[in-house]
Amino acid sequence: MPAPRVIPVSASSGDYEVVVGPRLLAELGPRASRALGTLPRRVLLVADRGVPQATIDLALASLGSEGCSCAVALVNADERDKSLAAAERLLLAASAHALDRADLIVVLGGGLTGDLAGFVASTYMRGVNVIQCPTTLLAMVDASVGGKTGVNLPSPHGLLKNMAGAFHQPRLVLADLAALDSLPERQFRSGLAECLKHGLLAADFGDPGLWTWTLARLPRIREPAILAELIERNVRIKATVVGNDERELHPSAGRALLNLGHTFGHAIETLPGVTPEAPGGLAPPPKQPTPPLPAMLHGEAVAIGLHAAAVCAAACSPDAGPAAMLVQDVCAALHAAGLPAHARGLPSDDVILDRMRHDKKMLGERLRLILPVPGGRSEVRLDVPEVALRQALRAIRAKET
Ligand code: GLY
């Protein structure tokens, strides 16, 4: 069995490791003990309902073998359930299990579960330790690393993504590659959207070849060695960005860049009735796992958002040739990754623009967009004209038949 890959994360609020490898959940107890210095008496394990029972049992057995008393709380992996009400239920579960300040919350699930349970860990008794065990590709390469936690808030404009939250770094991230074996294909591809996003900004964070490397390997991306390298390289990008700007304070060159594709994406995924157009216009696979997946996955919305951002960049660029090439490259990469570039059922441009203006990435009255630049870089723009935004929205509309 290949040795696990270990990526250090150095944040101002604490250092920790992201460990990537096969069958790591069987070692959760001992690895948690090492990361924390000693294993706590009590653990609340928060898992999403899509995680197989066998995976939950593996984690529980490993924690139990170290003498931990564990309680399990299950959550729905649905943006509507990433709510203050769900956080309250988890806080009450922690209290009912008599967790104290020295105890631990372990997260087993995708990005949504990690954000929600991480938020609970940041608030329970003003903060307890959390260990993230991501079970989706998206959570492994992005959400579990960097300490962003939060829940959505309702509003008359629809859900406001991650509007209540906290920075709360995990003490350890354990990315068990075996968890990906049972991950539905659509969810796996959703995670590739965050990898492509990283490829579009990696040149400024020490990996200028990531975009080309990823594209060349997409046809074999689920091969274990390739997958492990994909995750490691993406986690390194994330670790570098977070190490430089943990709290997203840099106005133009830091963590804000990770929002590439997300201003469009957050609007798209929170608008009711919007669905991704499957690549090539094919219908999405009919077989739905239990519980059913949401109509629009986060990564699918990000994929469409990457397309929109590339079109916006081309519309703003004085150098039309390379910018137009980049739009083609992004669309080709999305297609090769099995990700959508278009959405069905989008409302009018005005409704979408209004939604985008309620995103928390606004800077005062100004919409802050991250746009890709040819050569594996991205930049923060506060001056994107409305005509470019409308052009991008036109480009991502699926042709209704
Ligand atoms: N997913 C964006 C960030 O962690 O900053």
Side-chain angles (χ1 to χ4, degrees):
M1 202 150 52
R5 297 161 188 249
V6 179
I7 304 107
V9 183
S10 183
S12 48
S13 54
D15 297 345
Y16 56 96
E17 290 182 341
V18 180
V19 188
V20 181
R23 301 196 216 307
L24 292 178
L25 279 176
E27 302 165 14
L28 171 60
R31 285 186 180 272
S33 285
R34 278 207 293 284
L36 298 171
T38 169
L39 202 61
R41 249 173 357 110
R42 292 177 198 278
V43 173
L44 178 67
L45 180 85
V46 181
D48 80 48
R49 291 187 202 279
V51 173
Q53 187 60 43
T55 308
I56 297 175
D57 290 344
L58 196 61
L60 288 175
S62 184
L63 290 164
S65 70
E66 297 280 303
C68 263
S69 153
C70 298
V72 179
L74 297 178
V75 298
N76 294 331
D78 186 312
E79 290 293 339
R80 283 162 305 183
D81 292 317
K82 188 175 151 182
S83 61
L84 284 170
E88 184 183 9
R89 262 193 295 105
L90 293 180
L91 287 165
L92 292 174
S95 171
H97 192 47
L99 250 65
D100 68 26
R101 278 225 170 106
D103 289 332
L104 171 69
I105 292 180
V106 169
V107 187
L108 198 53
L112 197 149
T113 307
D115 284 4
L116 169 63
F119 177 64
V120 167
S122 77
T123 49
Y124 184 73
M125 291 193 168
R126 299 202 179 93
V128 292
N129 289 322
V130 61
I131 289 181
Q132 297 273 358
C133 302
T135 58
T136 65
L137 178 62
L138 189 140
M140 288 181 187
V141 297
D142 184 24
S144 66
V145 183
K148 272 192 183 175
T149 72
V151 294
N152 303 327
L153 294 184
S155 87
H157 309 277
L159 279 183
L160 298 175
K161 286 265 300 180
N162 304 324
M163 201 51 114
F167 287 96
H168 188 64
Q169 299 291 342
R171 297 294 301 271
L172 172 70
V173 179
L174 219 52
D176 184 343
L177 295 172
L180 298 181
D181 294 345
S182 57
L183 190 68
E185 184 61 22
R186 204 178 137 217
Q187 254 180 316
F188 180 83
R189 286 188 253 130
S190 168
L192 289 175
E194 298 286 1
C195 299
L196 293 179
K197 176 195 82 176
H198 286 153
L200 287 168
L201 51 83
D204 282 333
F205 299 100
D207 195 352
L210 182 61
W211 175 259
T212 318
W213 181 92
T214 307
L215 260 54
R217 281 156 189 82
L218 280 175
R220 296 185 292 133
I221 205 72
R222 286 192 95 144
E223 285 179 18
I226 293 177
L227 192 51
E229 183 170 345
L230 177 82
I231 296 168
E232 178 183 356
R233 284 172 76 161
N234 278 276
V235 170
R236 282 193 193 282
I237 298 287
K238 180 96 195 239
T240 307
V241 176
V242 168
N244 292 339
D245 183 22
E246 180 185 358
R247 298 211 159 217
E248 208 170 305
L249 296 175
H250 198 296
S252 61
R255 191 162 182 169
L257 293 173
L258 295 179
N259 293 323
L260 174 61
H262 282 64
T263 304
F264 286 102
H266 281 174
I268 292 165
E269 75 183 300
T270 51
L271 283 163
V274 179
T275 56
E277 182 184 64
L282 303 172
K287 194 169 155 286
Q288 284 278 341
T290 311
L293 294 175
M296 176 75 79
L297 297 177
H298 176 66
E300 291 170 337
V302 169
I304 298 165
L306 291 177
H307 178 202
V311 173
C312 237
C316 297
S317 171
D319 203 353
M325 278 286 290
L326 186 58
V327 177
Q328 280 181 21
D329 277 2
V330 168
C331 286
L334 294 175
H335 192 272
L339 282 162
H342 305 95
R344 290 188 192 282
L346 285 171
S348 70
D349 289 358
D350 288 338
V351 170
I352 306 170
L353 291 173
D354 184 56
R355 206 81 195 57
M356 289 168 69
R357 292 195 178 103
H358 284 89
D359 194 87
K360 68 178 177 352
K361 290 181 283 300
M362 288 289 290
L363 210 63
E365 291 297 295
R366 293 202 287 175
L367 191 59
R368 185 164 58 151
L369 276 179
I370 319 303
L371 300 185
V373 180
R377 295 183 43 250
S378 290
E379 61 182 10
V380 177
R381 296 283 296 258
L382 291 162
D383 58 349
V384 177
E386 188 160 320
V387 61
L389 295 171
R390 289 183 187 273
Q391 205 168 319
L393 293 178
R394 218 170 20 253
I396 62 170
R397 281 179 193 281
K399 292 192 182 37
E400 307 288 348
T401 45

